[in-house]
Amino acid sequence: MSVKSAQKQLFLRAYDELSNVLFKHAYFRVSNREVALDMVQECFTKTWNHMAQGKEISDMKSFLYRVINNLIIDYYRKSKSSSLDSLLDDGFDVVDQSISSSETISELSLVKRHLNAMPPSDKEVIVMRHIDGLSIQEIAKLLDESENAISVRLHRAMKRLQSLITKQ
Amino acid sequence: MTELENILHNIASQVSLTEVERHQIRGHLETLVSADQGTFSPVSQPSVWLDSLFFIRRHTLSVAFVALLFFTGTTGAIADRALPGDFLYPLKTNVNEEVLGWFSVSDYDKAELSIRIAERRLLEAESIENKEVDLRVKEDHRRLLESQVNDADIQATRFEKPQDVEKKDAEASSQIEKQSKTSESSQTTMMSSAPTIVDEGGAEQASFQNSNIYENNVQKREELRRIFKTLQKKVALLKKEKQFRETLIPTEAQLLKVQKMLLDVKKIKNDELMMETSADLLVNIENMLSDIEHTLISLENSVQGSSLNRKEENQDKEIPKPSERNNKDQEYKGDEVSSPGVL
């Protein structure tokens, strides 16, 4: 197996294993399916270009997360989307994706709406923890903060989200 | 809060890449990957393995157990035949060899293990020498080889007797003298056989002389290699005597170094500038082999009236003892090639 084909295998395998998680992450951060899809492709493209320059990637998952987080930040800066736009997107998306669940669709869309309205730093940790399913340790590593700091941030964010929902 | 978490999980499960979307993106990436002509970093073996290594470090005990099971199982066995650049090579070096390390407790065991591991590296180096392996992989392997041979050497010093250490120092300094003399003489031969460029006819003569020297080097190298093999077998034989096991550790380490030097010489191709280095290395190797042989002879002689003597006598008579006939046949064949005590 040549070096290049080994890297190719590795790369495609990373895509197969991690594309879905990264998509979910992007989607819940930007609330736009098309944008999220583009981001996933862009994220992997950038990663491949990085590899093609002979640069080593010691932790593929972390690297991909960092790339996509940067893309999300760039998106925030560029985007002028008001919370209203994203609410509309939410509404459509929930209808498209719905599968049978015990909660009503409205309940889910409510939570989604409020999640979306949260400040980026809160949203980030909530999405990473409860949407992506990352552990506190993993999040701390990715965001380069202490586990304690992440724990606190998450706790506060969840409280805020809860209060937003119950106020309704 | 838990209810909220549940809701979030439900929301999460509702959103997913559809198969169509997934394939679409993959298609784009496959095109990108096939087209790309970039240079790659070969050292980063699939990072999946690096993730595995982190896992291993976190769950050492259970992994050790599994690794042990694996060791007797297929994957581990297959990995043991892996060469640098192979997918399973990290399993060989980072897991299998690590596991062996856990079970070597005594100084002797540790030294033995480090020697065996260094030997493995040398065998691998020989195997990949002419193979299509990426240069970076070869370089990294070389670095690993050097450090492991060095490690084995250091471990072996624990078994050196004080008088041996003094002897070593004395030999080292005399070797340096020999080397400088040899290089001087080889320099003069070089100079006489490689006249200035002005002389065109002479230049042809020079390259002819150089190729001669090269041929000599190759022959010498082969000869020394044969001697090395013989001594290696001798050591294996002597090790069966328990009393010699520890004493032989430094000798084994020396043989390791010789093997490495033989490999280095092999690498030096027909390069004028390197001819000297090659010659020096050969002289060095010859001296080392000579010393090793003396050590082995003295060990053999120190055994009086033991089975070893009987074996040697039998060897001279070429009549192996009935009980040992099957085992010893191989070794006897090897020893017949060059009789002991003659270099």
Side-chain angles (χ1 to χ4, degrees):
Chain A
M1 186 178 254
S2 75
V3 172
K4 189 191 165 179
S5 63
Q7 295 285 58
K8 186 174 156 182
Q9 293 290 326
L10 167 67
F11 175 74
L12 291 172
R13 191 161 158 188
Y15 174 78
D16 291 333
E17 285 178 23
L18 300 169
S19 55
N20 203 29
V21 174
L22 288 164
F23 170 71
K24 283 191 200 202
H25 183 86
Y27 176 75
F28 283 102
R29 298 285 298 278
V30 302
S31 306
N32 184 317
R33 201 179 181 87
E34 286 307 314
V35 172
L37 287 170
D38 282 345
M39 275 193 182
V40 169
Q41 187 166 318
E42 181 66 19
C43 171
F44 278 96
T45 304
K46 285 194 164 196
T47 303
W48 177 254
N49 290 336
H50 188 92
M51 286 166 85
Q53 284 168 36
K55 295 179 189 165
E56 283 182 45
I57 299 177
S58 57
D59 185 347
M60 190 60 93
K61 196 170 172 183
S62 300
F63 187 85
L64 289 165
Y65 255 100
R66 266 188 221 114
V67 173
I68 211 161
N69 273 337
N70 287 337
L71 290 170
I72 290 165
I73 290 168
D74 290 344
Y75 178 76
Y76 280 145
R77 287 186 190 144
K78 282 184 220 162
S79 117
K80 293 169 189 169
S81 62
S82 62
S83 51
L84 194 65
D85 287 340
S86 32
L87 285 179
L88 285 169
D89 284 331
D90 276 348
F92 280 115
D93 280 345
V94 170
V95 170
D96 287 338
Q97 299 299 323
S98 65
I99 51 175
S100 58
S101 61
S102 50
E103 291 87 7
T104 58
I105 293 173
S106 58
E107 207 172 40
L108 288 170
S109 82
L110 185 76
V111 171
K112 249 183 120 178
R113 225 184 305 148
H114 286 296
L115 175 64
N116 214 43
M118 296 192 83
S121 61
D122 282 354
K123 212 160 140 188
E124 190 178 46
V125 278
I126 294 178
V127 170
M128 284 176 104
R129 180 78 188 97
H130 296 296
I131 306 282
D132 299 343
L134 298 172
S135 68
I136 304 280
Q137 201 181 39
E138 285 175 304
I139 300 172
K141 196 175 116 186
L142 281 167
L143 299 179
D144 204 17
E145 289 192 41
S146 71
E147 285 183 35
N148 204 37
I150 298 295
S151 231
V152 169
R153 225 170 103 184
L154 182 66
H155 182 80
R156 287 180 187 162
M158 288 295 272
K159 271 183 99 171
R160 274 192 277 265
L161 182 61
Q162 183 75 68
S163 65
L164 277 175
I165 294 166
T166 50
K167 267 183 195 165
Q168 276 261 330
Chain B
M1 199 64 92
T2 332
E3 202 196 306
L4 179 58
E5 283 177 20
N6 280 335
I7 294 173
L8 287 168
H9 292 166
N10 278 330
I11 292 170
S13 63
Q14 285 190 345
V15 175
S16 218
L17 271 173
T18 64
E19 277 308 298
V20 172
E21 287 165 340
R22 186 202 275 255
H23 277 122
Q24 211 174 25
I25 297 176
R26 200 183 206 273
H28 288 137
L29 293 174
E30 279 168 5
T31 318
L32 172 72
V33 160
S34 322
D36 219 72
Q37 293 300 314
T39 50
F40 290 87
S41 159
V43 185
S44 61
Q45 285 281 339
S47 73
V48 178
W49 276 118
L50 281 157
D51 283 343
S52 314
L53 289 176
F54 283 121
F55 176 81
I56 287 167
R57 258 161 230 157
R58 277 202 295 268
H59 306 94
T60 319
L61 275 173
S62 44
V63 173
F65 205 73
V66 173
L68 194 60
L69 294 175
F70 263 31
F71 201 76
T72 53
T74 340
T75 319
I78 292 172
D80 267 353
R81 277 184 259 138
L83 290 175
D86 286 352
F87 190 70
L88 288 175
Y89 188 69
L91 184 65
K92 181 182 184 183
T93 50
N94 295 317
V95 179
N96 288 354
E97 287 171 9
E98 270 275 295
V99 172
L100 290 172
W102 296 331
F103 296 105
S104 50
V105 180
S106 70
D107 277 350
Y108 171 75
D109 287 336
K110 287 190 182 140
E112 264 293 291
L113 183 64
S114 63
I115 290 170
R116 294 285 90 79
I117 287 176
E119 267 177 8
R120 264 189 172 189
R121 295 291 92 79
L122 286 162
L123 284 171
E124 285 163 10
E126 282 171 24
S127 305
I128 65 169
E129 187 155 332
N130 298 315
K131 248 184 86 178
E132 273 282 304
V133 176
D134 196 272
L135 218 64
R136 276 280 290 269
V137 172
K138 279 191 183 179
E139 273 173 27
D140 290 325
H141 182 259
R142 177 72 200 194
R143 261 180 267 142
L144 182 66
L145 185 154
E146 298 262 358
S147 85
Q148 284 181 337
V149 168
N150 195 39
D151 189 52
D153 201 26
I154 292 169
Q155 298 250 17
T157 54
R158 268 184 249 166
F159 296 88
E160 273 171 17
K161 300 198 182 114
Q163 59 263 36
D164 289 340
V165 178
E166 281 176 29
K167 219 175 113 190
K168 245 175 120 178
D169 288 340
E171 279 169 6
S173 50
S174 70
Q175 253 182 32
I176 293 168
E177 274 182 47
K178 278 185 202 167
Q179 263 186 33
S180 51
K181 279 186 193 159
T182 325
S183 56
E184 275 173 31
S185 60
S186 61
Q187 254 182 13
T188 43
T189 10
M190 287 290 287
M191 283 169 69
S192 62
S193 64
T196 52
I197 310 164
V198 180
D199 185 349
E200 281 177 30
E204 275 178 28
Q205 196 185 23
S207 60
F208 176 71
Q209 296 268 26
N210 281 343
S211 65
N212 252 5
I213 293 171
Y214 175 67
E215 282 303 317
N216 288 341
N217 279 353
V218 171
Q219 271 180 17
K220 186 79 183 174
R221 191 190 80 214
E222 289 304 311
E223 186 194 319
L224 291 175
R225 194 174 177 77
R226 280 193 290 270
I227 294 169
F228 162 75
K229 289 271 179 207
T230 312
L231 291 177
Q232 217 179 19
K233 285 176 186 153
K234 275 201 162 200
V235 168
L237 195 65
L238 278 166
K239 271 177 78 182
K240 295 188 178 161
E241 301 287 317
K242 281 192 177 163
Q243 55 180 309
F244 292 144
R245 275 191 194 163
E246 296 201 350
T247 335
L248 281 170
I249 294 275
T251 313
E252 285 189 275
Q254 290 287 86
L255 279 172
L256 222 57
K257 284 196 271 190
V258 167
Q259 195 174 358
K260 186 168 90 71
M261 286 160 80
L262 282 167
L263 206 65
D264 289 338
V265 174
K266 205 168 163 188
K267 277 189 192 161
I268 297 171
K269 306 279 182 195
N270 193 11
D271 182 347
E272 266 185 48
L273 295 167
M274 298 299 272
M275 213 65 79
E276 249 177 67
T277 321
S278 175
D280 286 343
L281 271 173
L282 288 169
V283 167
N284 238 354
I285 293 170
E286 197 168 8
N287 290 331
M288 282 175 83
L289 285 172
S290 163
D291 291 335
I292 291 168
E293 203 174 29
H294 287 142
T295 312
L296 293 180
I297 290 170
S298 62
L299 278 178
E300 286 167 355
N301 290 338
S302 75
V303 179
Q304 294 181 8
S306 75
S307 56
L308 191 63
N309 267 354
R310 273 183 266 128
K311 280 176 200 166
E312 264 205 272
E313 285 166 12
N314 289 335
Q315 185 195 328
D316 293 334
K317 293 176 196 166
E318 290 183 36
I319 303 167
K321 280 180 72 176
S323 55
E324 290 159 350
R325 185 175 305 193
N326 290 333
N327 303 345
K328 300 295 169 231
D329 267 348
Q330 290 285 350
E331 280 138 23
Y332 282 130
K333 275 186 195 148
D335 285 337
E336 272 168 23
V337 174
S338 61
S339 44
V342 176
L343 199 70

